[in-house]
Structures are given as C-alpha cells and as structure tokens.
Amino acid sequence: MGKAKRLGILGAVIAVMALMVGAVSPALGSSQGAASTSSDKQQTIRVIAVFTEFDANIDVGAPGFSLGDEVVFSGNLLRNGQQVGRVGVVCTFVSTANADSVEAQCPTTSILPGGQITTQGTIVNRSLNFTLPITGGSGRYEGAGGQVVSRDISTPTQPQVELTFHLQF
C-alpha cells in the first residue's frame, strides 16, 4: 500500500481525534433531550477538528506498510474559529492484507476544560465520514457514552472534519 493510502487513513484517524476533543466542552453548546428518568441526560456538541501535528510513517515490524504500523496525530478543536480544546490519536493498522479494505484501530483522547472524553473504534480506508462509540470520560464527562459522527469538510490545503458528539450520561 502506498503513501497516499496511508495518508488517507491518517486523515480518518485525525477525524477520530477531532471528534474526541469536541465532546469535552459544554460551553460549546448542548441540548438536553427528553429523558425517561431524571438521571438520563443527553448533550450534543459540534466542533471543527484541525490537525496540526502528525507522523504517518511509524513502521513497526516488517519493512514497508504492514500490520502493526501506526499513525499518530494531534490537533486543535475549534468552535466559531476559537480553539476550545486539543485532541490526540494513535491508530494502529489491524488489517492490511486487502488494499481495498485497510483497517486501523484508533483510540482517541480529547482534553477540554472540565475533563476528558475518550473514543475508540475501527476506521476503514480513507473515509473521514464515520461514526465511533464514546467509551468514557473524566471530570464533568464522567460516565459519558454515546457516539461521535465525523463529516469530512476538508479543503484542498487543510484536512478538517466536523465532529458531532452525541453524549449520553
């Protein structure tokens, strides 16, 4: 698999990271849904993830692109053009045998005022359009679940994703 395909996976990984960062700050905007009990809460947060640092060439194991290779990246989470947080992602390639269906396992952590939110899931090929589960949180996000939806809004010069966190507590 060539560098272009690996960069496509990197873009997807970046999107996952961005999703995590966006979920952390309630000041970004939220909504409470109808709850079946007084302890059920829902919150929706939308942010733009812009990636500032990445290494798409961590060659682990066999020389060249292979199982276990990694992509690491981090970036800023923006709301109305203002930075509201940071995100970090490490993706490990878990299936490389079929060039048409490369898979990477991507845990992410978003750090924002008041706590952190984590996500984890598998991204297939280059798609920046995906949905991943929220696996937890700390601080004001303790007990968070739900999912984050990534939508590719990249420009020719800047990979970006819109992340919509659908949090449940």
Side-chain angles (χ1 to χ4, degrees):
M1 174 176 292
K3 186 175 181 179
K5 190 143 206 154
R6 186 182 294 183
L7 289 176
I9 293 292
L10 172 63
V13 171
I14 290 173
V16 173
M17 291 176 54
L19 292 176
M20 292 195 60
V21 173
V24 183
S25 178
L28 300 177
S30 65
S31 62
Q32 298 238 352
S36 59
T37 69
S38 61
S39 65
D40 291 341
K41 294 189 307 183
Q42 298 179 357
Q43 182 177 29
T44 300
I45 300 171
R46 281 191 181 87
V47 294
I48 303 297
V50 178
F51 300 98
T52 58
E53 299 179 72
F54 61 91
D55 186 344
N57 300 305
I58 301 173
D59 193 1
V60 178
F65 183 67
S66 64
L67 195 65
D69 286 358
E70 294 181 334
V71 174
V72 178
F73 57 95
S74 63
N76 299 321
L77 183 72
L78 307 177
R79 176 78 177 191
N80 298 322
Q82 300 293 317
Q83 182 176 342
V84 295
R86 294 274 302 155
V87 64
V89 179
V90 175
C91 290
T92 303
F93 292 93
V94 296
S95 180
T96 60
N98 180 350
D100 293 329
S101 185
V102 173
E103 298 174 0
Q105 179 66 246
C106 303
T108 67
T109 301
S110 298
I111 303 167
L112 290 170
Q116 299 183 15
I117 294 177
T118 59
T119 64
Q120 182 170 339
T122 299
I123 296 176
V124 179
N125 290 339
R126 302 176 199 185
S127 180
L128 297 179
N129 300 304
F130 56 83
T131 301
L132 294 176
I134 294 170
T135 57
S138 66
R140 66 175 62 160
Y141 307 103
E142 182 177 356
Q147 62 184 13
V148 60
V149 177
S150 174
R151 184 174 66 90
D152 184 1
I153 58 168
S154 297
T155 68
T157 59
Q158 179 67 57
Q160 300 180 62
V161 293
E162 177 187 65
L163 301 173
T164 303
F165 291 88
H166 300 281
L167 299 166
Q168 297 178 347
F169 298 90

